[in-house]
Amino acid sequence: MPTTTELLQGTLDLLILKAISLGPLHGYGVLLRIQQISRDKLQIQQGSLYPALYRLEHQGIITSEWGESDNKRRAKYYRLTAAGKRRLQQELAYWQRLSEAIGFVLSAVSEDL
């Protein structure tokens, strides 16, 4: 059985926003942070990440600036905008409602029916 978990449709934006909310990151840093805070259960593919970063930046949810990475290479660092902070709060609230509802369904016993 695999040790990583597939992402549900629509959760990538939430994960990116949460990772960036913890501090500015370059693209590869976003991948590493998600992997780290998920305790290696989630691994985002670069082919999914970079289009999502581009889309979120185009929507004004995140902004970027060029800087230097730890290995002295030029890298684009992302951070949340004010709209991004609002969007993260909305996404977190939605995820809480959804996971609570799924939890109710999964914990149902025959007496509940």
Side-chain angles (χ1 to χ4, degrees), residues 31-83:
L31 293 177
L32 294 178
R33 180 155 299 155
I34 291 170
Q35 185 176 338
Q36 175 192 30
I37 61 182
S38 72
R39 298 184 179 117
D40 293 324
K41 301 292 186 224
L42 297 174
Q43 293 185 357
I44 309 302
Q45 301 301 314
Q46 290 185 29
S48 300
L49 175 71
Y50 289 101
L53 288 170
Y54 175 81
R55 182 174 33 76
L56 290 169
E57 188 173 16
H58 184 72
Q59 293 172 353
I61 303 299
I62 61 175
T63 188
S64 67
E65 60 186 32
W66 288 98
E68 190 174 283
S69 68
D70 293 338
N71 61 0
K72 307 293 185 213
R73 298 183 76 177
R74 187 168 143 91
K76 199 173 193 182
Y77 281 81
Y78 298 93
R79 70 183 60 219
L80 293 182
T81 63

